[in-house]
Coordinates of all heavy atoms in Angstrom, one line a residue:
G111 N -107.4 89.9 211.1 CA -108.3 90.8 210.5 C -109.0 91.8 211.4 O -109.8 92.6 211.0
A113 N -110.2 94.8 213.3 CA -110.4 96.3 213.0 C -110.1 96.7 211.6 O -110.0 97.8 211.2 CB -109.5 97.1 213.9
L114 N -110.0 95.7 210.7 CA -109.8 96.0 209.3 C -111.1 96.1 208.6 O -112.1 95.5 208.9 CB -109.0 94.9 208.6 CG -107.6 94.7 209.1 CD1 -106.9 93.5 208.4 CD2 -106.7 95.9 208.9
K115 N -111.1 97.0 207.5 CA -112.4 97.2 206.7 C -112.1 97.0 205.2 O -111.0 97.4 204.8 CB -112.9 98.6 206.9 CG -113.4 98.9 208.3 CD -113.9 100.3 208.5 CE -114.3 100.5 210.0 NZ -114.7 101.8 210.2
L116 N -113.0 96.5 204.5 CA -112.9 96.2 203.1 C -112.6 97.6 202.4 O -113.5 98.5 202.5 CB -114.1 95.5 202.5 CG -114.1 95.1 201.1 CD1 -113.0 94.1 200.8 CD2 -115.4 94.6 200.6
A117 N -111.5 97.7 201.7 CA -111.2 98.9 200.9 C -111.3 98.7 199.4 O -111.7 99.6 198.7 CB -109.8 99.3 201.2
R133 N -120.3 89.8 197.4 CA -119.3 90.7 198.0 C -118.7 90.0 199.3 O -119.5 89.5 200.1 CB -120.0 92.0 198.4 CG -119.2 93.0 199.0 CD -120.0 94.2 199.4 NE -119.4 95.1 200.4 CZ -118.6 96.1 200.1 NH1 -118.5 96.4 198.9 NH2 -118.0 96.8 201.1
P134 N -117.4 90.1 199.5 CA -116.9 89.6 200.7 C -117.3 90.4 201.9 O -117.8 91.5 201.8 CB -115.3 89.7 200.5 CG -115.1 90.4 199.3 CD -116.4 90.6 198.6
A135 N -117.1 89.8 203.1 CA -117.5 90.5 204.3 C -116.7 91.8 204.5 O -115.6 92.0 204.0 CB -117.1 89.6 205.5
D136 N -117.4 92.8 205.1 CA -116.8 94.1 205.3 C -115.6 94.1 206.2 O -114.7 94.9 206.1 CB -117.8 95.1 205.8 CG -118.8 95.6 204.8 OD1 -118.4 95.6 203.6 OD2 -120.0 95.8 205.1
S137 N -115.6 93.1 207.1 CA -114.4 92.9 208.0 C -114.1 91.4 208.0 O -115.0 90.6 208.1 CB -114.7 93.3 209.4 OG -115.0 94.7 209.5
P138 N -112.8 91.0 207.8 CA -112.5 89.6 207.7 C -112.6 89.0 209.1 O -112.3 89.6 210.1 CB -111.0 89.6 207.3 CG -110.5 90.9 207.7 CD -111.7 91.9 207.6
A139 N -113.2 87.8 209.2 CA -113.3 87.0 210.4 C -112.3 85.8 210.4 O -111.1 86.0 210.2 CB -114.7 86.6 210.7
L151 N -108.9 93.6 199.5 CA -107.9 94.3 200.3 C -108.6 95.0 201.5 O -109.6 95.7 201.3 CB -107.2 95.4 199.4 CG -106.2 96.3 200.1 CD1 -105.0 95.5 200.6 CD2 -105.7 97.4 199.2
Y152 N -108.1 94.7 202.6 CA -108.7 95.2 203.9 C -107.6 96.1 204.5 O -106.4 95.8 204.5 CB -109.0 94.1 204.9 CG -110.1 93.2 204.4 CD1 -109.9 92.1 203.6 CD2 -111.4 93.5 204.8 CE1 -111.0 91.3 203.2 CE2 -112.5 92.7 204.4 CZ -112.2 91.6 203.6 OH -113.3 90.8 203.2
I153 N -108.1 97.3 205.0 CA -107.2 98.3 205.6 C -107.7 98.8 206.9 O -108.9 99.0 207.0 CB -106.9 99.4 204.6 CG1 -106.3 98.9 203.3 CG2 -106.1 100.5 205.2 CD1 -106.1 100.0 202.2

Side-chain angles (χ1 to χ4, degrees):
L114 297 175
K115 294 181 183 176
L116 185 62
R133 178 185 163 94
D136 286 327
S137 295
L151 177 63
Y152 293 89
I153 298 176

